[in-house]
């Protein structure tokens, strides 16, 4: 924690800005959705900023950066606060900088679809801006309505669009950044796609974004589709067949019946009678998806255009919204993330043999290393840390690649390795280690 005298001096130097000193706002703006993990909840619920600053202009942000450096106060960045791993939680107190007020589109090129926008722009608002011009974001989380562009690039991983465009950190999904360093005289840097990559999924530990440049994709009238299938192997086989075909599919999610029965219904969708695949597919893909579903012994149950977004969206049953919906029903549920080996059914059978019925299966089809793969976000009732460790080991033994959702650091949640480019950028742009301390372990 920062000594009170230092904090008061910092506050005085930031006079005139939108400062938050008092509860309950201090706590609200210090936390994200870490409660999905009982381990993180225990670790993070008492971490609160000593001061929050809400900035509305780039110059204000640069002023905050300079003063935090001058007073050597930890600075943690915040977008919309929808992260799941405490990415924007200040572990060492200090100042939280809320970037959600930086919400202007800087530039859009309708010929190439390249978009430059400030980090606080909400993703759905960006799509509302792009749609009339015939373009759409390539990737967006299921928190499309609330999450910010900067928070998604710094803290997100994948989402709707990942079957076509891969993971957020795959090269090509971030084309540039305007970045502020944390130094006596903060530098304002324009980074191209190669240099920007060191800041992609770095939890705001190695520079502050003031603008983000991303490619977009031609707009499609994506159709929300619900397919019901007789059992899991049939559903997974159909999902694999569809994702291997020459079809435009932006989202493909498998949910087992037990999960669906505890989740809210999409408007007008028939009652659940089996496992389901939830898809966002182009209109041209539907005439093939329908007969392929029937040939597999299932059926296309329900269809609706995604745009304009109204009511409960199909994507709000997918990705970590599945976890949200189930936890609304029973808050003892948590989840883990694992990339499944092939064949996925053998992996699931190995886990089922060990803990019959404990895991509730939720899988997402993504493109990983250029190939379609299943990533699992299985849900289970929390039974303590030792049980989680056993589960993690069982995932690894069965050939899965774990993306641990119950850890705090950039490295621990990913491959476990330190990305050299992220570290070099940390040394270069945050030489005193003040940005989001504790999250880049190395
Ligand atoms: C129900 C639910 C569903 C979700 N689904 C998905 C999903 O489908 N895919 C997915 O990837 N994630 C998902 N998430 C996690 C989260 O919603 C997303 O990653 C989201 O994009 C984070 O954006 P945010 O604006 O809330 O960022 P925040 O949580 O506020 O911040 C995320 C990180 O970005 C950093 N940051 C913020 N602003 C800046 C800046 N200006 N410069 C540098 N760093 C900055 C923060 O320090 C923090 O480390 C889900 C979460 C929930 C609760």
């Amino acid at each position: 924690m920062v000594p009170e005298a230092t904090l008061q001096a910092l506050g005085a130097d930031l006079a005139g800005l939108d400062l938050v000193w008092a509860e309950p706002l201090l706590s609200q703006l210090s936390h994200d959705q870490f409660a999905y993990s009982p381990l993180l909840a225990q670790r993070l619920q008492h971490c609160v900023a000593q001061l929050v600053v809400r900035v509305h202009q780039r110059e204000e942000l640069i002023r905050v950066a300079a003063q935090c450096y001058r007073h050597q106060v930890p600075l943690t960045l915040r977008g919309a606060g929808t992260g799941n791993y405490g990415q924007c939680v200040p572990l060492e107190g200090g100042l939280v900088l809320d970037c959600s007020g930086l919400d202007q589109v800087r530039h859009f090129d309708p010929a190439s679809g390249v978009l430059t926008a400030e980090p606080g722009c909400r993703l759905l608002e960006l799509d509302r801006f792009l749609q009339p011009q015939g373009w759409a974001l390539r990737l967006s989380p299921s928190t499309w309505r609330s999450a910010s562009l900067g928070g998604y690039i710094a803290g997100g991983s994948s989402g709707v669009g990942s079957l076509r465009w891969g993971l957020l950190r795959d090269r090509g999904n971030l084309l540039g950044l305007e970045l502020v360093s944390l130094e006596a005289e903060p530098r304002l840097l324009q980074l191209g796609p190669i240099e920007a990559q060191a800041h992609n999924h770095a939890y705001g530990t190695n520079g502050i974004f003031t603008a983000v440049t991303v490619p977009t994709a031609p707009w499609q009238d994506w159709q929300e589709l619900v397919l019901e299938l007789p059992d899991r192997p049939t559903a997974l086989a159909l999902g694999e067949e569809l994702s291997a075909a020459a079809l435009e599919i932006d989202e493909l999610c498998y949910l087992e019946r037990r999960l669906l029965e505890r989740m809210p219904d999409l408007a007008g969708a028939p009652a659940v009678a089996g496992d389901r695949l939830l898809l966002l597919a182009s209109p041209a893909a539907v005439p093939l998806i329908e007969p392929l579903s029937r040939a597999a012994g299932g059926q296309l149950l329900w269809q609706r255009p995604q745009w304009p977004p109204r009511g409960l969206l199909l994507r709000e049953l997918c990705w970590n919204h599945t976890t949200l919906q189930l936890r609304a029903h029973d808050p003892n549920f948590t989840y883990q993330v694992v990339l499944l080996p092939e064949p996925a059914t053998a992996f699931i059978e190995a886990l089922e043999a060990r803990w019959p019925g404990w895991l509730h299966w939720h899988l997402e089809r993504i493109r990983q290393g250029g190939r379609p793969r299943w990533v699992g976000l299985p849900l289970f009732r929390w039974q303590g840390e030792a049980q989680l460790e056993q589960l993690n080991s069982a995932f690894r033994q069965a050939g899965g690649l774990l993306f641990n959702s119950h850890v705090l650091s950039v490295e621990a949640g990913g491959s476990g390795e330190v990305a050299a480019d992220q570290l070099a950028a940390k040394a270069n742009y945050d030489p005193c280690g003040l940005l989001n301390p504790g999250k880049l372990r190395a």
Side-chain angles (χ1 to χ4, degrees):
M1 295 294 270
V2 177
E4 193 52 34
T6 308
L7 205 62
Q8 291 306 326
L10 173 65
D13 283 333
L14 295 177
L17 297 186
D18 184 357
L19 307 184
V20 177
W21 288 103
E23 295 290 4
L25 259 189
L26 265 190
S27 288
Q28 282 168 19
L29 294 173
S30 299
H31 289 173
D32 63 9
Q33 302 304 311
F34 57 71
Y36 289 22
S37 162
L39 280 184
L40 292 180
Q42 205 179 14
R43 168 79 176 79
L44 296 175
Q45 61 200 358
H46 304 297
C47 296
V48 177
Q50 294 163 278
L51 170 63
V52 175
V53 184
R54 295 182 286 205
V55 289
H56 305 277
Q57 286 171 6
R58 183 178 68 190
E59 289 59 38
E60 294 178 347
L61 183 148
I62 293 173
R63 186 175 155 201
V64 174
Q67 292 304 334
C68 281
Y69 184 89
R70 176 160 177 249
H71 294 279
Q72 292 290 293
V73 169
L75 192 169
T76 301
L77 302 161
R78 175 183 177 90
T82 68
N84 287 113
Y85 316 124
Q87 290 106 312
C88 66
V89 176
L91 298 185
E92 298 180 9
L95 186 146
V96 161
L97 180 62
D98 180 344
C99 301
S100 59
L102 293 174
D103 60 356
Q104 300 300 305
V105 170
R106 290 270 192 88
H107 184 255
F108 177 64
D109 175 12
S112 64
V114 173
L115 170 76
T116 300
E118 292 183 340
C121 289
R122 302 259 167 149
L123 297 171
L124 176 55
E125 296 314 312
L126 287 176
D127 268 326
R128 286 193 207 283
F129 165 82
L130 292 166
Q131 192 269 341
Q133 308 185 63
W135 294 90
L137 293 173
R138 280 183 176 184
L139 290 163
S140 52
S142 58
T143 45
W144 189 37
R145 296 182 204 245
S146 48
S148 72
L149 178 64
Y152 190 40
I153 297 293
S157 60
S158 47
V160 171
S162 280
L163 184 51
R164 298 199 302 155
W165 302 105
L167 304 178
L168 206 44
R169 204 169 141 74
D170 288 352
R171 284 198 184 274
N173 283 328
L174 174 63
L175 296 181
L177 286 173
E178 183 181 85
L179 192 88
V180 171
S181 65
L182 204 65
E183 296 171 285
E185 288 186 20
R187 285 175 283 163
L188 182 67
L189 300 123
Q190 304 294 337
L191 307 183
I194 301 285
E195 307 95 311
Q197 193 61 8
H199 306 270
N200 190 342
H201 199 71
Y203 291 7
T205 57
N206 57 11
I208 308 173
F209 311 162
T210 45
V212 179
T213 300
V214 289
T216 62
W219 189 80
Q220 288 264 12
D221 189 15
W222 296 114
Q223 300 295 302
E224 300 180 325
L225 305 180
V226 175
L227 315 183
E228 198 155 80
L229 284 309
D231 53 43
R232 181 160 51 228
T234 312
L236 297 196
L238 180 63
E240 288 162 18
E241 184 181 3
L242 294 177
S243 55
L247 295 172
E248 287 190 286
I249 300 177
D250 214 29
E251 164 68 18
L252 196 164
C253 163
Y254 163 80
L255 296 175
E256 68 170 54
R257 179 176 178 162
R258 283 188 303 168
L259 285 175
L260 291 156
E261 283 168 346
R262 293 172 173 139
M263 290 165 68
D265 292 326
L266 292 162
V272 177
D275 289 5
R276 286 181 175 177
L277 292 178
L278 309 187
L279 278 81
L280 287 171
S282 72
V286 180
L288 182 59
I289 292 174
E290 204 272 325
L292 286 178
S293 312
R294 252 187 294 117
Q299 57 174 321
L300 169 56
L301 273 187
W302 181 88
Q303 176 177 352
R304 181 182 69 178
Q306 176 182 243
W307 198 270
R310 271 192 304 248
L312 178 71
L313 304 176
L314 177 134
R315 69 167 70 210
E316 290 163 350
L317 301 177
C318 304
W319 290 98
N320 234 359
H321 265 78
T322 313
T323 317
L324 176 147
Q325 306 292 5
L326 191 64
R327 281 176 52 80
H329 183 85
D330 180 348
N332 293 314
F333 272 94
T334 184
Y335 75 113
Q336 187 55 295
V337 182
V338 59
L339 181 69
L340 271 60
E342 288 167 332
T345 41
F347 176 90
I348 294 173
E349 278 163 21
L351 272 296
E352 284 299 309
R354 178 139 181 211
W355 291 292
W358 182 46
L359 297 166
H360 292 46
W361 290 97
H362 162 205
L363 308 180
E364 295 283 343
R365 197 76 173 148
I366 61 159
R367 203 179 83 158
Q368 198 264 350
R371 286 195 306 127
R373 297 281 297 270
W374 290 110
V375 65
L377 292 84
L379 294 121
F380 49 93
R381 282 201 176 80
W382 180 248
Q383 295 181 6
E385 198 172 350
Q387 178 78 333
L388 178 69
E389 279 311 314
Q390 286 178 20
L391 180 66
N392 293 346
S393 307
F395 280 159
R396 292 194 186 100
Q397 276 163 20
L401 179 65
L402 187 71
F403 294 94
N404 197 344
S405 306
H406 302 270
V407 291
L408 274 176
S409 69
V410 178
E411 309 81 314
S415 64
E417 288 169 15
V418 181
D421 62 339
Q422 288 180 339
L423 275 186
K426 175 88 178 162
N428 195 0
Y429 303 123
D430 178 26
C432 293
L434 293 171
L435 275 176
N436 207 351
K439 304 287 173 53
L440 197 61
R441 226 174 22 183

